[in-house]
Amino acid sequence: MTELALFGTDLFGEVVRPKASGPVAERFTLPPFTILDARAGEWQERKRAWAAMGIEGEVGRAGVHQYGMKEMVIVRQGRGFNGQGGEDGEQTAASVFDPVMVELAVRWFSPAGGQVVDPFAGGSVRGIVAGCLGRQYWGCDLRTEQVAANEVQAEQIAPQVRPVWVCGDSMETLPTAPEADFVFSCPPYGDLEKYSDDPRDLSAMDWHAFVAAYKRIILRAVGKMKPDTFACFVVGDFRDGKGFYRNFVSETIDGFEQAGARLYNEAILATPVGTAAMRVTKQFEASRKMAKTHQNVLVFCKGDPRTAARKCGA
């Protein structure tokens, strides 16, 4: 399989590789430190290169209602797979997953040619990046319009390995998913971002029902993991209606550990300030709420981490 030319090729057909900032970055794409800085120039350069391939994580998400924390893009009328903006043509916002985070997770924690299983697929980003890196990808999403939009993008971009998206409830589809060399996802943050009114949709549930269903899905996802493999969830704590944190990160860790996968790595993904700069003055003066500009990257291991690492290769 040919090497992914993320930055193109030179006049001689050789893959262009940007100058690394040091020997650690040169060896591991970016340094595997517990602070992953998505604001840094090198990170943003890689992100622009992925975007130049035509990946649009917001497509298919028009009409999704977003209430505040994750990195967001504006979905305008005429954009999105179904050509709709918000109600009456208003602008709506939807979170998008960072392709560089996908690249790092897939390169670091899965074997070449391995199978990635994603129980909360959402947009196209994780599937297309995994496919471009030569991994098999299986993702599940509840919304038919999202799956259709993802497939259109994959057809246009033509990754080295075509991702597979299935439409349905992860509780029902995970038993038929392939065995996983790597489980990788970003679950819905409770009702922070409402995707649909489907009663099976976690974002439509109250908190206690959400946690129970979420942990059942984690249990089934861990059940698909091969022995001695890694899983990675990108999550973040978010506030309830009174402004107190839900402790979503701890619930995620508890779900995995109860399912038999132990917490192995924890990192902070420092995200661009974005809309937080517009919100922070009013919210801090009124309630002393600090603007959240990070997410948590949780890596779990089922079995022996040294054996899992050897499977991932150099």
Side-chain angles (χ1 to χ4, degrees):
M1 187 173 290
T2 57
E3 181 182 352
L4 174 66
L6 183 60
F7 294 90
T9 56
D10 60 22
L11 293 175
F12 302 99
E14 297 294 325
V15 174
V16 174
R17 298 179 180 84
K19 188 178 186 305
S21 60
V24 176
E26 185 175 358
R27 184 169 184 178
F28 301 115
T29 306
L30 288 171
F33 299 149
T34 56
I35 300 293
L36 301 172
D37 188 1
R39 306 167 187 171
E42 290 171 282
W43 188 293
Q44 289 297 315
E45 183 182 4
R46 296 192 79 84
K47 188 173 180 178
R48 285 190 291 270
W50 281 110
M53 295 180 66
I55 301 176
E56 295 180 295
E58 73 275 16
V59 175
R61 311 196 76 187
V64 172
H65 299 287
Q66 221 280 352
Y67 301 106
M69 187 193 67
K70 296 192 278 185
E71 183 181 358
M72 293 158 55
V73 296
I74 298 299
V75 182
R76 294 183 173 86
Q77 186 174 22
R79 291 293 301 278
F81 181 75
N82 59 9
Q84 299 298 317
E87 296 180 2
D88 300 321
E90 69 182 8
Q91 292 183 346
T92 61
S95 63
V96 291
F97 202 83
D98 193 315
V100 183
M101 185 65 249
V102 185
E103 181 184 8
L104 297 181
V106 168
R107 287 190 188 277
W108 291 352
F109 300 112
S110 73
Q115 177 70 58
V116 179
V117 169
D118 183 349
F120 305 106
S124 63
V125 179
R126 291 192 292 277
I128 290 178
V129 173
C132 287
L133 297 174
R135 272 61 167 183
Q136 307 289 329
Y137 174 91
W138 180 98
C140 176
D141 195 85
L142 198 59
R143 299 168 63 240
T144 55
E145 60 268 36
Q146 184 67 74
V147 171
N150 293 353
E151 290 174 344
V152 168
Q153 280 198 61
E155 182 68 28
Q156 294 170 343
I157 295 171
Q160 296 182 53
V161 180
R162 182 66 180 263
V164 173
W165 289 280
V166 299
C167 185
D169 183 352
S170 294
M171 284 291 294
E172 300 169 358
T173 59
L174 272 171
T176 63
E179 288 194 328
D181 297 292
F182 182 44
V183 167
F184 181 43
S185 201
C186 180
Y189 286 27
D191 59 359
L192 184 70
E193 190 173 56
K194 190 172 182 180
Y195 300 98
S196 74
D197 294 321
D198 190 321
R200 301 172 300 169
D201 190 335
L202 268 65
S203 69
M205 298 179 183
D206 66 41
W207 174 243
H208 297 292
F210 170 89
V211 171
Y214 177 53
K215 289 184 177 181
R216 288 197 298 270
I217 292 171
I218 289 175
L219 177 65
R220 295 198 174 190
V222 172
K224 300 305 297 188
M225 293 172 66
K226 296 176 183 177
D228 308 317
T229 50
F230 293 111
C232 176
F233 266 32
V234 179
V235 297
D237 283 329
F238 60 94
R239 300 180 188 274
D240 63 16
K242 295 183 178 180
F244 294 98
Y245 273 120
R246 293 283 196 186
N247 212 7
F248 187 35
V249 173
S250 296
E251 295 288 4
T252 301
I253 295 170
D254 182 64
F256 269 96
E257 299 221 331
Q258 285 192 40
R262 297 187 62 189
L263 181 65
Y264 190 65
N265 284 315
E266 187 270 341
I268 296 299
L269 174 62
T271 54
V273 172
T275 60
M278 297 183 288
R279 292 182 283 109
V280 67
T281 300
K282 182 181 290 186
Q283 76 177 37
F284 193 75
E285 285 183 344
S287 63
R288 291 303 186 267
K289 288 181 184 175
M290 301 170 71
K292 193 175 182 71
T293 57
H294 77 276
Q295 294 183 68
N296 299 72
V297 180
L298 306 175
V299 179
F300 303 90
C301 183
K302 179 181 178 179
D304 178 53
R306 290 184 177 273
T307 303
R310 285 196 295 270
K311 288 182 177 182
C312 295

